[in-house]
Amino acid sequence: MPALPRLAAPAAAAAPPVRLAPPPLPPPLRPHYRFSSLSSRRRSPRPPSATAADAPRGGPIPEPEELDLLLLAALRAARIRDEESRRSDPLFIDPYAAVLLSHDVAHHDIGYLASHAVPCQDHYRLTTRYIDDKLQNLISNSEDIRQIVLLTDGMDTRPYRLSWPRLSVLYDVSPGKVFSTATQRLRGSGAKVSRNCVLLHIPLESPDLLEVLSKNGFNGNRLSLWVLQGLPLPTTTSLENLLLVISNLAMKGSIFTGVLPHFPDWLGTG
């Protein structure tokens, strides 16, 4: 009997793949801050706003310009110059005073400024004429005075209405807001300084007038002319501080002229 061929042993069945369990996830991180609920938030109160109910009776809410005492004082002086310029025989002529007043006349009756007029108006007219003549005489008789410092209320029109020698540098020391208002109102009116001259504004609010003047080209080694009229000086101390600045900047031979303000504490002094 023939022998049967031997069959190969069946291949071993493949072992099922082993599935590895994923590593456990780390616990979620807890934030180090807390969210406040909307109900616990406090809203900052809104500042009160002006409404029509807050306005004084008989008029709208006052504009900032109407509340500026320095601006009002400058407008009073401009009104006197305008009135003097309209007289048949004026002591001086200020063609720009009416331009400075035009905005306020449109908002107020001219009697508004008249009721708040500068005391001793005749004194203001006379001193204005005196200073004009003094300035013209000094600069016309001196070839060395080319630095002129005007200590004003911010609406002084001398830089535009007086004639200045060639290469003169005019410094207007005055309240910044008033000077800015005057500059805006005079724009387009033809107000210009003399040819080859320059006008620089020095804000009265500057923390160091001496330093600001020096940075704007003032030379203490050259003669200078200082003119005081209208600059707000509320106390004798403010006048003393101003004179200290002048004494530190003005060289020997320089000139100081103008009108000293009236101080109540000067009364009764011997």
Side-chain angles (χ1 to χ4, degrees), residues 81-132:
R81 298 197 303 271
D82 179 56
E83 288 183 344
E84 182 65 29
S85 302
R86 298 174 185 274
R87 294 177 57 184
S88 58
D89 187 19
L91 294 173
F92 55 85
I93 296 178
D94 186 347
Y96 306 109
V99 180
L100 296 173
L101 292 170
S102 59
H103 176 273
D104 296 87
V105 172
H107 287 74
H108 309 287
D109 185 77
I110 191 65
Y112 176 81
L113 291 177
S115 62
H116 297 77
V118 176
C120 303
Q121 297 185 30
D122 291 339
H123 179 266
Y124 179 82
R125 291 186 173 95
L126 292 172
T127 53
T128 300
R129 170 61 185 269
Y130 170 80
I131 293 175
D132 287 355

Side-chain angles (χ1 to χ4, degrees), residues 135 139 148 150 158-160 162-166 168 170 194 197:
L135 279 173
I139 61 179
I148 300 95
L150 303 174
R158 287 191 177 97
Y160 316 113
L162 297 185
S163 178
W164 303 98
R166 184 174 176 270
S168 293
L170 309 176
S194 301
C197 297

Side-chain angles (χ1 to χ4, degrees), residues 60-79:
I61 300 173
E63 298 179 0
E65 279 190 345
E66 298 175 11
L67 302 178
D68 193 327
L69 298 180
L70 296 181
L71 179 63
L72 181 59
L75 289 171
R76 294 171 187 167
R79 177 182 174 273

Side-chain angles (χ1 to χ4, degrees), residues 52-250:
D54 300 321
R57 294 184 179 180
I61 300 173
E63 298 179 0
E65 279 190 345
E66 298 175 11
L67 302 178
D68 193 327
L69 298 180
L70 296 181
L71 179 63
L72 181 59
L75 289 171
R76 294 171 187 167
R79 177 182 174 273
I80 297 176
R81 298 197 303 271
D82 179 56
E83 288 183 344
E84 182 65 29
S85 302
R86 298 174 185 274
R87 294 177 57 184
S88 58
D89 187 19
L91 294 173
F92 55 85
I93 296 178
D94 186 347
Y96 306 109
V99 180
L100 296 173
L101 292 170
S102 59
H103 176 273
D104 296 87
V105 172
H107 287 74
H108 309 287
D109 185 77
I110 191 65
Y112 176 81
L113 291 177
S115 62
H116 297 77
V118 176
C120 303
Q121 297 185 30
D122 291 339
H123 179 266
Y124 179 82
R125 291 186 173 95
L126 292 172
T127 53
T128 300
R129 170 61 185 269
Y130 170 80
I131 293 175
D132 287 355
D133 292 345
K134 187 73 172 178
L135 279 173
Q136 297 292 279
N137 180 63
L138 289 172
I139 61 179
S140 61
N141 293 325
S142 174
E143 297 181 357
D144 299 324
I145 299 179
R146 295 298 179 266
Q147 296 183 122
I148 300 95
V149 184
L150 303 174
L151 309 165
T152 77
D153 57 13
M155 288 192 171
D156 192 339
T157 57
R158 287 191 177 97
Y160 316 113
R161 62 184 179 84
L162 297 185
S163 178
W164 303 98
R166 184 174 176 270
L167 302 180
S168 293
V169 181
L170 309 176
Y171 297 92
D172 188 313
V173 180
S174 59
K177 182 178 179 180
V178 180
F179 184 86
S180 177
T181 300
T183 301
Q184 293 175 2
R185 297 186 182 186
L186 291 174
R187 191 169 298 160
S189 65
K192 296 180 180 180
V193 296
S194 301
R195 188 176 181 181
N196 295 323
C197 297
V198 63
L199 171 63
L200 301 174
H201 179 243
I202 307 297
L204 179 62
E205 302 83 5
S206 303
D208 191 338
L209 287 178
L210 191 152
E211 180 181 0
V212 176
L213 280 166
S214 300
K215 286 184 176 180
N216 280 273
F218 187 91
N219 189 348
N221 295 320
R222 297 176 55 193
L223 289 176
S224 55
L225 173 59
W226 302 73
V227 184
L228 173 61
Q229 187 184 31
L231 185 73
L233 296 172
T235 63
T236 54
T237 302
S238 59
L239 175 60
E240 292 171 357
N241 293 335
L242 174 65
L243 295 178
L244 181 61
V245 171
I246 297 175
S247 63
N248 287 330
L249 285 175

Side-chain angles (χ1 to χ4, degrees), residues 7-13:
L7 298 176

